Amino acid sequence: MGTRVEGRRDVVVVGGGPAGMAAAARAAELGLDVLMVDEGERLGGILPQCIHPGFGVHYLREELTGPEFAQRLASRVEDAGVDVLLEAHVPEVRWISHAEKGVRVLSPGFSGEVRAGAVIYAAGARERHRFEIGILGDRVAGVYTAGEAQTMMDVYGILPGRRVLVVGSGDVGMIVARRFALEGAEVVGVVEIMPYPGGLTRNVVQCLEDFDIPLLLSHRVVSVRGRGRVEKAVLMRVDEGLRDIPGTETEVECDTVVVSAGLVPRVEVLRELGALIDPATGGPVVNDRLETTVPGVFAAGNALVINDLVDHAAEQGEQAAEGAAEFLRRGGIPATDWVRLRPGEGVKLTVPQLLSGERDVWIYLRVNRPVRNARLSLRGAGREVRLPVVRPAEMVRVKLMAGEVRRAKVGGREVVAEVYRG
Amino acid sequence: MTGRGKVRRLTCIVCPLGCEIEVRLDRGPGGDVRVLEVRGATCPRGREWAAQEVTDPRRVVITVVPVRGGDPPTVSVKTDRPIPKSRIPEFMRALAGLEVEAPVRVGQVLAKDVLDLANVVATRESRSMGRSFGERP
């Protein structure tokens, strides 16, 4: 419609969720010519369906619901003069040269290639489905991912079922369980394979305990049964090694099974482009400008690493925009002798994976088990941080000083993040 | 925590940090709950919340309201202030019949003083579709 698509852009941002909107707004505020493309009919990514409060406490210093947070960023995108193309899919990003990439765009109004000096990839994540977590049995109606259930209920106003079993106790699973309970459905339980809840404690309190929803730890759903529609789910207990304990099958009557089993970064386009993917995060390997291993292509938000706070996704968008601006200004991010940041004892993943030592850097890491009175050691950088508690559900974010990174350059050229008790 | 009174342990829900808070309280002459001390909160909002939680727990309620002729066909809403936790089911029943006309803008009050507890405010916009639902453009 009004949006100019053709021609060369300084920056093309792929994805109009929180990371993409923050990236596009920041890049335009830095004086760059920016096109942002998104698959949806409206901006916001998954925010419009996340109607609960708790967004923006850090990034906007105000507690908002998801739709309100999206609205704030969308206004900023508009004020900054970003061109936005909606209902547009990006199947490919093509390498033309160090200084130029081709972004293939398919949309009702425009199909073709847009040339860009830099690309910020913020296409988010997809939800894991029932078969990825081993829920076998009948292929019946009534099995939804958490995002599908949220969209039905909170965008289209349709209650997906009346007797609901939620699989997975991450924040999204617990929040969806509360929404079902509030709307008058019976939530027969939230099933969690681990021996502890997957999400934040505040959500155990205000989503499950407030509504007397049972949490079944160390259990998993092995199958779904029914004719045409879900009639029951079969549960089993698991041992410490997450193996099924024979003879512990129980059947739970329900008409709906909601799978909230985590997210997987959408990186197919980046992989095709030749970007190195980190098996620990599922996202691309990036340096401290959030540039992937393909020069001029940056990543942010859930396409980079699965975030639990929208604030972090938006912050990464801004960092990627600043990286893209530097890339355009200097004709590339100068390849220095990078220091590798990697996970060690007790740590599942770390981002960014490559540190320059030229600048202070926010590092994000996730632990692989809960620890009270934790000591986080960034070995090689000579840095220790004490934390009252760390949990797999809560990303740890620490600022590492340039000087600390440079210390590792004389040693093993790496910083290893380790978490210990006490 | 030492001293007189009873201690209640809470997990703060004000922000994602989830501080473990201890509240020491006793009963006044009229049986009312009195807060003597709050410990473990790392911000003033957490201290206020903990004192409120043991005396009169409240929650902001979130739901969606159908919008006639709207795209999307609902708006998300929240109460403009927290309401007593015990009255949430009654509040939800009072909202069950509510339906509004498109367009709706963010911040618009869709129902005033529901059960004399709170206003219901839109948190998402819904535009007029300009044609009936299901009709092809």
Side-chain angles (χ1 to χ4, degrees):
Chain A
M1 286 188 281
T3 301
R4 177 177 68 88
V5 180
E6 295 81 356
R8 189 182 188 280
R9 300 302 184 120
D10 293 331
V11 179
V12 171
V13 178
V14 182
M21 288 196 289
R26 183 80 185 120
E29 285 159 8
L30 290 168
L32 302 172
D33 176 23
V34 183
L35 174 70
M36 175 165 66
V37 296
D38 188 80
E39 290 178 342
E41 293 173 2
R42 51 189 77 86
L43 287 179
I46 58 168
L47 284 172
Q49 79 203 34
C50 300
I51 64 169
H52 50 283
F55 296 86
V57 178
H58 302 277
Y59 183 69
L60 298 173
R61 308 244 161 248
E62 191 178 348
E63 189 179 8
L64 301 171
T65 63
E68 291 169 309
F69 188 98
Q71 177 99 0
R72 295 288 178 89
L73 271 178
S75 310
R76 195 175 145 205
V77 162
E78 196 181 337
D79 292 347
V82 173
D83 286 326
V84 178
L85 185 68
L86 294 173
E87 298 183 84
H89 175 61
V90 172
E92 185 189 14
V93 176
R94 189 168 67 92
W95 170 275
I96 297 166
S97 72
H98 185 80
E100 187 140 294
K101 310 290 174 290
V103 180
R104 201 146 69 82
V105 177
L106 299 173
S107 76
F110 171 86
S111 286
E113 188 176 83
V114 181
R115 299 285 178 104
V119 174
I120 299 173
Y121 197 77
R126 70 166 177 85
E127 293 179 275
R128 295 214 295 159
H129 54 72
R130 66 178 271 198
F131 296 110
E132 285 176 282
I133 57 166
I135 303 180
L136 306 176
D138 300 326
R139 295 188 177 218
V140 286
V143 183
Y144 300 101
T145 65
E148 286 166 352
Q150 263 185 337
T151 304
M152 286 176 73
M153 256 191 293
D154 294 340
V155 178
Y156 294 101
I158 298 161
L159 191 63
R162 300 237 155 246
R163 230 181 117 79
V164 185
L165 183 71
V166 177
V167 186
S169 67
D171 290 316
V172 176
M174 294 195 284
I175 285 164
V176 167
R178 172 179 60 182
R179 286 290 301 129
F180 272 104
L182 256 181
E183 296 300 334
E186 185 188 353
V187 182
V188 293
V190 174
V191 181
E192 172 59 54
I193 192 167
M194 302 302 287
Y196 48 84
L200 301 171
T201 314
R202 70 192 295 241
N203 285 329
V204 177
V205 175
Q206 64 184 352
C207 297
L208 304 187
E209 290 171 10
D210 271 9
F211 293 92
D212 298 320
I213 296 171
L215 174 61
L216 291 129
L217 298 173
S218 296
H219 278 76
R220 77 177 193 95
V221 175
V222 294
S223 71
V224 166
R225 300 282 173 210
R227 283 188 185 184
R229 176 83 194 191
V230 176
E231 287 165 18
K232 60 192 176 194
V234 182
L235 272 57
M236 276 181 99
R237 283 189 66 88
V238 298
D239 64 17
E240 316 81 67
L242 308 183
R243 291 168 299 248
D244 296 342
I245 302 174
T248 59
E249 288 93 342
T250 45
E251 289 184 355
V252 176
E253 274 183 44
C254 53
D255 61 20
T256 304
V257 172
V258 174
V259 178
S260 177
L263 303 172
V264 182
R266 285 178 59 183
V267 293
E268 292 78 8
V269 166
L270 292 177
R271 191 184 276 122
E272 283 296 305
L273 179 59
L276 194 61
I277 304 299
D278 180 346
T281 60
V285 171
V286 292
N287 62 31
D288 54 15
R289 278 77 158 192
L290 304 190
E291 184 188 34
T292 68
T293 54
V294 179
V297 178
F298 297 77
N302 282 354
L304 169 63
V305 60
I306 301 304
N307 290 278
D308 31 73
L309 294 182
V310 70
D311 306 69
H312 292 167
E315 175 181 274
Q316 289 153 13
E318 305 229 359
Q319 290 167 6
E322 281 156 24
E326 185 184 352
F327 180 90
L328 295 170
R329 193 172 63 242
R330 300 171 71 173
I333 302 296
T336 58
D337 43 348
W338 301 102
V339 170
R340 189 170 163 224
L341 170 66
R342 70 173 177 87
E345 176 70 29
V347 178
K348 188 152 64 182
L349 58 89
T350 50
V351 172
Q353 292 85 348
L354 300 168
L355 311 177
S356 64
E358 290 168 15
R359 50 171 56 213
D360 303 343
V361 58
W362 283 112
I363 64 171
Y364 303 89
L365 63 94
R366 205 177 279 285
V367 298
N368 55 25
R369 58 172 195 278
V371 179
R372 285 197 174 270
N373 290 322
R375 183 162 55 84
L376 163 65
S377 160
L378 295 163
R379 193 156 54 76
R383 174 76 170 277
E384 283 215 344
V385 185
R386 294 205 162 267
L387 299 160
V389 62
V390 291
R391 304 181 182 93
E394 296 170 46
M395 188 101 88
V396 179
R397 175 173 164 276
V398 179
K399 192 169 217 172
L400 204 54
M401 298 300 149
E404 292 173 318
V405 176
R406 281 199 298 274
R407 275 189 212 171
K409 293 204 174 187
V410 289
R413 315 203 52 75
E414 65 173 16
V415 174
V416 184
E418 296 166 335
V419 167
Y420 302 99
R421 191 184 296 272
Chain B
M1 218 177 216
T2 55
R4 65 203 172 86
K6 202 174 81 175
V7 172
R8 265 193 67 187
R9 288 186 176 77
L10 305 168
T11 303
C12 186
I13 62 171
V14 168
C15 91
L17 284 182
C19 292
E20 306 287 339
I21 302 180
E22 291 184 340
V23 186
R24 196 153 52 83
L25 46 91
D26 71 357
R27 295 215 174 258
D32 52 315
V33 176
R34 294 186 309 189
V35 174
L36 303 173
E37 191 186 3
V38 178
R39 284 173 60 168
T42 53
C43 78
R45 284 178 66 204
R47 272 191 293 279
E48 276 169 38
W49 173 82
Q52 178 82 41
E53 183 70 8
V54 295
T55 51
D56 173 24
R58 286 170 180 259
R59 298 285 184 268
V60 168
V61 173
I62 46 141
T63 181
V64 293
V65 169
V67 181
R68 255 192 306 271
D71 175 28
T74 68
V75 283
S76 51
V77 297
K78 65 179 176 187
T79 53
D80 64 349
R81 68 199 78 148
I83 69 165
K85 208 173 109 176
S86 57
R87 299 193 64 188
I88 292 175
E90 185 191 349
F91 194 89
M92 288 298 287
R93 277 193 295 274
L95 288 188
L98 181 64
E99 193 176 1
V100 296
E101 290 286 340
V104 177
R105 52 175 211 289
V106 176
Q108 189 175 327
V109 176
L110 302 184
K112 278 187 89 77
D113 291 326
V114 179
L115 302 180
D116 290 324
L117 290 174
N119 296 326
V120 173
V121 180
T123 57
R124 190 173 62 206
E125 69 169 12
S126 177
R127 295 175 186 181
S128 296
M129 282 206 301
R131 56 176 189 273
S132 61
F133 189 73
E135 191 184 316
R136 285 277 164 203

